[in-house]
Amino acid sequence: MSNPRYQALLKAMKDGKLDALEPVVSFEAGVEYPKLRDFFDSTSEAKEALDELVNAGVLVPEVVDNVMACPHCRTHKLMVRAVCPACNSSKLSEGVMVEHVQCGHVDFEEKFRSELGMICPRCGKPLGEGDYRVLSKLYRCLDCKRVFSEPRMEYLCNNGHRLGGGSLAFESVYAYKLSPEKRALLEYATLDVEELVRSLREEGLAAEARAVAVGRSGVAHDFSFVVWGDARAGGKGENGSPMVVGSVHTSERVTAPDVLVLYAKAFDVGAQAKLIATRGAVDEEARGLAKVYGIEIVESRNPKELAEKVKERVLKAIRQGNASRA
């Protein structure tokens, strides 16, 4: 969970600003969580974060609602359509059925009505009150001419898939609460990145918390913090790339994949120095990879001490970068 957006969310939880996450269901947006709009750019990104936090045991899901969706494209935008149960045609007419008691003819009420009143279309006799009876509402298929009391319902999704009622996908809608057993995990999110960045700016550096840097591939990468360089010198490193990128880990352990992810992102943006800050444990494989890829792992159980160490390493990296260009 080294994603900077996750870190901001976890810190809000730890600080008591965010506890329960309640869903809002609407036709336009489907299922969304309004409290997550400050942390994520899209509903899909928020859903991915919720799933990861549930898998990590940080959040506990509770079913509070459900929606039906298209099984092919998962859209919830569905239109209901009535079709003939015999031939599947959607060319139907609806009406009240009337029976002429004497001759037994049954047809739609509109077939009996005329300028002269109610007249049986089969025998031609005028009908007064008591000569006919009104039956229930019925449907007629204009293709196969069948008459039936209940049409079959099908659904059309906004992406063009045609579905029977039994083929819709059932999706539970969840509310999420912070797991009491995992509150200790949030202690790993206590490194105040905003405060760290403020202290770096006081040193005359151009720095951003939860920053995005665009790589040579054109992909935008998230970092816990980015230091572009000396603010007085334009705030950019060589070729406009960041001088230092950092990843603050909120998980209990730094693993090899964590190191590889940071390296790939840092390489793409052309960062000169790469830092991982953690209050958790570090796998030996991760430590070895970090050494190979030139990533410095900054460790401390104390959040204040960790922030000071990160600041110290950043300033050292900036000095070394400036010296190499001199």
Side-chain angles (χ1 to χ4, degrees):
M1 289 184 289
S2 58
N3 187 309
R5 298 172 189 267
Y6 291 21
Q7 295 163 16
L9 175 60
L10 290 173
K11 188 173 188 306
M13 290 178 176
K14 178 186 177 297
D15 293 343
K17 298 176 182 177
L18 194 63
D19 191 2
L21 296 170
E22 300 291 341
V24 172
V25 181
S26 67
F27 182 76
E28 286 303 320
V31 181
E32 61 178 345
Y33 296 84
K35 291 181 180 179
L36 295 183
R37 290 173 184 163
D38 293 337
F39 302 94
F40 302 101
D41 295 330
S42 66
T43 301
S44 60
E45 190 180 7
K47 180 65 170 61
E48 182 181 344
L50 290 173
D51 289 342
E52 186 165 339
L53 291 172
V54 168
N55 291 335
V58 177
L59 294 181
V60 178
E62 177 188 357
V63 176
V64 294
D65 204 344
N66 72 80
V67 295
M68 304 303 289
C70 173
H72 305 294
C73 61
R74 314 309 292 187
T75 180
H76 62 280
K77 295 183 179 179
L78 303 168
M79 180 175 68
V80 184
R81 183 167 67 175
V83 298
C84 173
C87 70
N88 292 326
S89 172
S90 60
K91 298 178 182 178
L92 308 180
S93 62
E94 176 195 65
V96 174
M97 302 301 284
V98 170
E99 179 187 15
H100 180 193
V101 176
Q102 186 177 2
C103 78
H105 180 64
V106 177
D107 209 333
F108 284 107
E109 184 181 25
E110 61 188 46
K111 299 292 185 179
F112 286 81
R113 293 195 178 278
S114 71
E115 294 180 356
L116 300 177
M118 296 286 284
I119 296 178
C120 178
R122 173 191 284 178
C123 65
K125 290 184 178 181
L127 306 179
E129 188 175 347
D131 293 331
Y132 65 93
R133 58 183 178 181
V134 177
L135 305 177
S136 61
K137 182 189 294 184
L138 294 175
Y139 301 85
R140 171 173 284 162
C141 176
L142 302 180
D143 279 341
C144 72
K145 311 305 179 186
R146 297 282 184 91
V147 175
F148 43 90
S149 59
E150 292 292 337
R152 184 173 62 81
M153 296 300 176
E154 70 171 18
Y155 300 84
L156 291 175
C157 82
N158 65 326
N159 292 315
H161 297 118
R162 184 173 175 173
L163 311 158
S167 63
L168 293 178
F170 178 90
E171 294 185 355
S172 295
V173 177
Y174 298 95
Y176 297 89
K177 292 183 178 180
L178 192 59
S179 169
E181 293 79 14
K182 287 290 184 175
R183 281 189 177 272
L185 176 63
L186 300 186
E187 292 300 320
Y188 293 99
T190 54
L191 178 61
D192 192 336
V193 180
E194 294 285 354
E195 180 59 35
L196 170 64
V197 165
R198 278 195 292 271
S199 68
L200 292 173
R201 288 173 179 166
E202 290 172 359
E203 298 289 339
L205 300 177
E208 295 179 61
R210 292 185 290 278
V212 174
V214 178
R216 288 165 290 195
S217 65
V219 175
H221 299 290
D222 287 321
F223 296 95
S224 299
F225 62 90
V226 170
V227 181
W228 298 99
D230 192 329
R232 292 163 295 187
K236 294 288 184 180
E238 190 175 358
N239 300 321
S241 59
M243 294 190 72
V244 184
V245 293
S247 175
V248 176
H249 278 251
T250 55
S251 56
E252 295 171 302
R253 182 174 295 276
V254 176
T255 63
D258 297 324
V259 174
L260 292 173
V261 168
L262 178 61
Y263 174 74
K265 295 195 298 183
F267 178 80
D268 192 28
V269 301
Q272 297 176 42
K274 306 164 283 290
L275 301 177
I276 288 179
T278 180
R279 296 187 63 207
V282 181
D283 287 352
E284 287 307 311
E285 184 182 6
R287 200 179 296 279
L289 281 174
K291 185 175 181 180
V292 170
Y293 291 127
I295 297 174
E296 186 165 4
I297 298 179
V298 185
E299 304 169 70
S300 176
R301 291 284 178 178
N302 183 292
K304 185 175 180 180
E305 182 181 52
L306 182 62
E308 287 296 326
K309 283 186 174 182
V310 171
K311 179 180 177 181
E312 178 185 322
R313 300 302 195 281
V314 169
L315 292 174
K316 179 181 177 182
I318 294 295
R319 286 195 297 270
Q320 290 175 342
N322 290 338
S324 65
R325 293 198 305 270

